[in-house]
Amino acid sequence: MSDNNDATLDELRLLLEQKTGVLIGRSTLDRMLRLLNLNLKKNTIPNRERE
């Protein structure tokens, strides 16, 4: 799953479905990830590095 570090909840749902055959809701996935203490924040480039 490290290949999908910046995947959205919808992308993660589809990956989970491909691997398990079970499709869960976005809110269920969000709650599950929060319980596991997994962070879904996107990695962004700080303003100083963009310039």
Side-chain angles (χ1 to χ4, degrees), residues 2-51:
S2 63
D3 294 340
N4 301 305
N5 284 338
D6 61 349
T8 64
L9 282 174
D10 286 327
E11 292 168 340
L12 291 172
R13 286 177 63 230
L14 296 176
L15 287 169
L16 183 64
E17 181 186 25
Q18 288 173 359
K19 293 190 181 274
T20 66
V22 176
L23 183 62
I24 61 175
R26 286 181 63 211
S27 59
T28 302
L29 180 59
D30 183 53
R31 283 191 305 269
M32 182 173 63
L33 293 172
R34 288 176 194 262
L35 285 172
L36 294 171
N37 261 349
L38 296 176
N39 189 347
L40 287 178
K41 290 183 181 177
K42 297 273 184 173
N43 291 330
T44 59
I45 301 170
N47 288 336
R48 283 182 270 152
E49 290 182 16
R50 282 189 221 162
E51 296 172 354

